[in-house]
Amino acid sequence: PRVGLRSFEALKALKRDYAWAIDLSLCVFPQEGLTNDPGTEELLIRALQDGADALGGCPYTDTDPHAQIARLFALATRFDVDLDFHLDFDLDASWMHLDEVCRQTTVHGYGGRVAIGHVTKLSCLPPEAFARAAERLAQAGVAVTVLPATDVYLLGREATHDVPRGLTPAHRLLAQGVTCSVATNNVLNPFTPFGDASLLRMANFYANVAQVGPEGFDACIDLVTALPARLMNLRDYGIAIGNPADLVVLDAPTQAEALAGLAEPIMGFKNGRGAAARPEPAARRVAGRRRLRRRSASERRRPVRGRGRNRAGRAGPCARAGRSCARSRRIARPPAAGCGRRGWNRSRLRMEAFHNRSAGRRRGFRRHSIEGGDPAPNPTARVGPAPGADR
């Protein structure tokens, strides 16, 4: 209530502005509690009236968790929106809110429209209790979303050794008929100070921590693609005739190899239109458009313009001045015998002006001598041999 609906309004604008590239589903939920935080329910109702797509809950932050669950189910049925709970987010399996959520789902006939996230208590259950919990979830039609990055980062910190993973085995729940997904709910924030919002990276991380072998890589890909679509009740998801052409192309021959190697996305499409593409490497562009031919020995012996010599093959100012030129990347010979002082001065001045400009661009200074650090010489001063010197 302290900040009102400021975040919701900002996300609505983001959803509108980027609808051409991505579908955003906005979920409003009482993160700091509902029954213990006056004014929160009124804000939830305003947001739902203003187009929020889903309603969430966080019972473990409320002084009366069961009352929050009941109130949120009432609001969800009133506004006909799906429910998404952050639930049972610790490693103490002596108590759980999972049973109450399943009971309310059955009472309200909301099977297939409720998801629970984290549920890390399930990772602490012995096999028999885990099987019973999975059966309860499958019967009620409650889906489970595992959030590997946050769950692994935050849990088990009190342990000095034998640190638990704190990761719910989604693939084992899936085998017992529970709709599951893998996702991330924190990116570069205090809860999880790293990440890039890549679901493929989350699937890879989940498979690693959950010790899923290559035989389960395809199922891990399903946990970030087809199964989340089922959880969100997207009836037109997938590559099929008549479905929207919303897809991401990965640089891998199979989805198992994409997971194992964290394949880079090549391009993405939204409704059949290109929404993103990986820039082609410059080397590949050159090799694909123009075949480079190796110069022959006679060609390599010819003078090349821009390497201290001019078009006619005569020494240019950089070569005559006896300095290293950024164009040639080599030390030019000193001026030939008989070179007049005036020509020497002009050549050296041109060379120093060129190097001053180059050094200034590289180092962020406007004036910089080629000796490195001293102010550039006065261009009107004599730079050649002192008067009276031997010519």
Side-chain angles (χ1 to χ4, degrees):
R2 270 73 61 185
V3 297
L5 296 178
R6 188 176 305 169
S7 298
F8 177 69
E9 296 297 336
L11 290 173
K12 278 181 58 182
L14 189 70
K15 177 180 179 178
R16 179 189 64 248
D17 294 344
Y18 285 88
W20 60 271
I22 188 172
D23 291 327
L24 292 178
S25 180
L26 304 185
C27 177
V28 291
F29 81 114
Q31 182 170 338
E32 304 299 332
L34 178 61
T35 64
N36 59 320
D37 204 359
T40 300
E41 184 170 349
E42 288 73 13
L43 288 176
L44 292 176
I45 293 174
R46 282 174 51 194
L48 291 168
Q49 291 173 337
D50 200 20
D53 302 297
L55 180 62
C58 195
Y60 55 81
T61 63
D62 205 304
T63 54
D64 191 346
H66 284 201
Q68 181 186 126
I69 294 171
R71 188 61 194 143
L72 291 175
F73 267 96
L75 289 175
T77 55
R78 171 183 168 185
F79 288 96
D80 191 26
V81 293
D82 295 345
L83 276 167
D84 186 356
F85 289 94
H86 288 221
L87 204 70
D88 295 340
F89 187 28
D90 59 50
L91 299 177
D92 181 6
S94 62
W95 59 272
M96 301 178 73
H97 295 139
L98 183 148
D99 288 335
E100 178 63 14
V101 170
C102 290
R103 189 186 71 82
Q104 290 280 2
T105 301
T106 303
V107 168
H108 289 86
Y110 240 55
R113 302 192 65 180
V114 178
I116 54 178
H118 298 297
V119 210
T120 51
K121 291 177 182 286
L122 291 177
S123 68
C124 304
L125 297 178
E128 298 80 9
F130 182 86
R132 290 194 297 270
E135 182 181 7
R136 184 83 172 93
L137 290 166
Q139 290 178 348
V142 175
V144 174
T145 296
V146 178
L147 306 163
T150 299
D151 296 348
V152 173
Y153 180 72
L154 291 181
L155 297 182
R157 289 174 171 264
E158 67 282 357
T160 59
H161 62 283
D162 196 18
V163 180
R165 290 185 175 92
L167 184 72
T168 295
H171 60 292
R172 290 172 52 195
L173 291 172
L174 187 62
Q176 299 194 45
V178 181
T179 299
C180 295
S181 67
V182 165
T184 180
N185 67 320
N186 295 293
V187 177
L188 299 176
N189 66 12
F191 297 105
T192 310
F194 39 74
D196 57 3
S198 168
L199 290 177
L200 182 63
R201 191 180 302 279
M202 281 299 101
N204 174 285
F205 183 56
Y206 170 82
N208 199 332
V209 178
Q211 300 175 335
V212 179
E215 70 283 353
F217 285 178
D218 287 339
C220 290
I221 290 289
D222 289 341
L223 285 169
V224 296
T225 55
L227 291 170
R230 184 192 304 174
L231 183 152
M232 298 177 69
N233 296 307
L234 302 179
R235 309 301 180 189
D236 55 359
Y237 178 85
I239 300 177
I241 296 175
N243 284 359
D246 299 341
L247 53 94
V248 175
V249 181
L250 300 176
D251 191 4
T254 66
Q255 60 182 16
E257 292 179 69
L259 176 86
L262 284 175
E264 291 288 334
I266 298 175
M267 60 188 73
F269 295 88
K270 179 72 169 63
N271 289 328
R273 298 178 59 187
R278 182 180 67 183
E280 185 182 6
R284 187 178 298 178
R285 289 199 300 270
V286 171
R289 297 175 187 173
R290 177 168 58 91
R291 294 183 61 84
L292 301 180
R293 183 176 62 86
R294 180 178 175 83
R295 297 172 63 208
S296 66
S298 61
E299 288 175 328
R300 290 197 297 272
R301 286 194 295 268
R302 293 176 189 170
V304 179
R305 186 184 184 188
R307 293 196 175 186
R309 295 183 177 273
N310 58 21
R311 183 176 306 194
R314 302 187 183 92
C318 292
R320 290 199 301 269
R323 293 293 190 272
S324 174
C325 177
R327 294 173 180 168
S328 63
R329 301 297 181 192
R330 63 185 176 87
I331 301 298
R333 293 182 179 276
C339 178
R341 182 190 306 169
R342 184 176 302 174
W344 161 268
N345 288 346
R346 281 201 300 266
S347 299
R348 186 170 179 181
L349 282 173
R350 284 196 294 267
M351 176 276 301
E352 287 187 347
F354 169 79
H355 280 286
N356 290 341
R357 290 194 299 271
S358 300
R361 283 193 295 270
R362 290 194 301 270
R363 304 190 184 192
F365 302 115
R366 284 197 178 179
R367 299 178 61 189
H368 202 287
S369 71
I370 57 175
E371 284 76 11
D374 297 327
N378 184 352
T380 62
R382 286 184 175 271
V383 185
D390 185 11
R391 296 188 180 180

